[in-house]
Amino acid sequence: MRYLHIHNARLIDPAQQLDQVADIYVAEGRIKAIGHKPASGEIEHSIDGTGQWLVPGLVDLGGHLAEPGFAHKGSIASETRAACASGFTHVCSLPDTKPVADSGAVVQLILEKAAKAGYAKVLPLGALTQGLAGEQLAAMFSLHEAGCVALSNARAPFKDSYVLRRVMEYAATYDIPVFLNPDDTALSAAGCMHEGPVATRMGLTGIPRTAETIALAQMLLLIEQTGVRAHISQISCGRSLDMLRQARAGGLKITADTPLANLVYTDEAVAGYNSQFNVRPPLRAEADRQALLAAVNAGELAISSNHRPHEVAAKKSTFSDAEPGMSIYDAFLPLALQLVERGELQLNALITAASQLPAAVTGLSQSLQEGQWFNAALINPASERTFRRSQLLSKGRNTPIAGQTLKGAVSAVFVDGRKVFG
């Protein structure tokens, strides 16, 4: 047996209560030994991990890969490669492609292109309704059979609560997980940022917290009624966390995530009408950011990328007319480590929220444990990089970190034991 040998790396896996400098041996795609050399076999390739961290691969619960249909914004190859640059081994692709991922043929196309690209694995999210129109149910069982790990309507609204109930009832019948984005479009459609003093000062129409909490209340009641396996995507405010805690205390086994941008930035970042910070859900107030950080540190929330690449022209309009979204794959890890360095986010909590919790939601097992598939990222926490738009791996140029120098870089990413990056 021939081994990949990574030596002297700091192995960190909160799920295994593992945090130690040790050697790891990998063969046939799986971890064969940790901390000791196998009794037989030879080392085929050796990597010096001195001063670096080896962590379970990150899993993204929602990224827009722009393909099929939006070649000017990105491709599955470009965006999964960019995801690898931040340590992601698996990415849930949102269904708002063109055509929409509401058929087995589109799902198969996505899986084939991801396999051909050979970077992070793509876990497709199929559409809950035909064309994401929010009216007629998609072929949900067929989509699940075609390889969708869950179904979602992205941020597209449902026509009414009756459709939402039918969606949940059907999914519950076949035990298909659903990803739900709480957004009352009657309250949010005209807005372009968080409703608060900053929006008032800038003369911009705001999106109130109630646009999220009212929709979330409706979803929680229907989840309770139908028993569907549900994940709440892209929580942005503290009041939503209170509602989730109350629902869990009442017996609902419900998971949730928050976008990294909502942990890093607030609505104050919009000052100067910088359209890079026009995102959905909107960046909220500092009190919301602190509440979200506390929930992540407590293990209550996963962290998603909410990655949405755009070409330069998409952000050249006025702030309110610019296309919402942020290209974040290239900078996800260094931005998250910036929170760790500031003492706002615990390192173990980051790994749990970006790897362990998302893996559990998608039915994966991401861990540094003998016998497990080797899905991992080798990270150099001291490495510094200046981000320039021309050097980004994502085709998206809508990033707020252009020109900034940030610490933390991925040296290598392994998917099922195969080195796919670095």
Side-chain angles (χ1 to χ4, degrees), residues 290-327:
Q290 291 298 330
L292 294 171
L293 282 166
V296 173
N297 280 321
E300 298 174 350
L301 275 182
I303 303 175
S304 61
S305 75
N306 198 19
H307 174 77
R308 187 166 290 271
H310 289 306
E311 73 282 15
V312 172
K315 291 289 188 178
K316 282 293 186 181
S317 305
T318 60
F319 184 90
S320 58
D321 291 331
E323 291 188 49
M326 183 182 292
S327 179

Side-chain angles (χ1 to χ4, degrees), residues 137-173:
L137 272 62
M140 296 165 64
F141 182 77
S142 297
L143 288 170
H144 191 51
E145 289 287 291
C148 293
V149 296
L151 302 178
S152 165
N153 226 48
R155 296 196 71 83
F158 296 95
K159 178 183 177 183
D160 51 40
S161 55
Y162 176 70
V163 175
L164 180 57
R165 177 184 171 179
R166 288 182 59 218
V167 160
M168 291 188 187
E169 287 175 335
Y170 189 95
T173 300

Side-chain angles (χ1 to χ4, degrees), residues 396-418:
R397 292 299 176 258
N398 53 315
T399 175
I401 49 83
Q404 295 183 32
T405 300
L406 301 174
K407 293 175 69 173
V410 169
S411 303
V413 172
F414 303 89
V415 174
D416 292 347
R418 182 172 60 91

Side-chain angles (χ1 to χ4, degrees), residues 327-381:
S327 179
I328 202 168
Y329 275 153
D330 283 87
F332 184 97
L333 179 67
L335 282 174
L337 291 180
Q338 192 176 61
L339 294 173
V340 174
E341 188 173 10
R342 293 204 302 250
E344 293 187 311
L345 182 60
Q346 300 163 17
L347 178 58
N348 276 1
L350 168 60
I351 297 170
T352 297
S355 178
Q356 179 187 346
L357 294 181
V361 170
T362 53
L364 298 173
S365 178
Q366 298 277 89
S367 66
L368 301 181
Q369 189 176 16
E370 292 183 8
Q372 291 288 323
W373 287 104
F374 188 51
N375 294 306
L378 186 64
I379 298 168
N380 186 341

Side-chain angles (χ1 to χ4, degrees), residues 40-61:
S40 61
E42 61 184 55
I43 296 173
E44 181 178 34
H45 185 56
S46 184
I47 296 176
D48 184 5
T50 303
Q52 301 191 71
W53 304 337
L54 185 69
V55 304
L58 307 190
V59 179
D60 185 20
L61 290 172

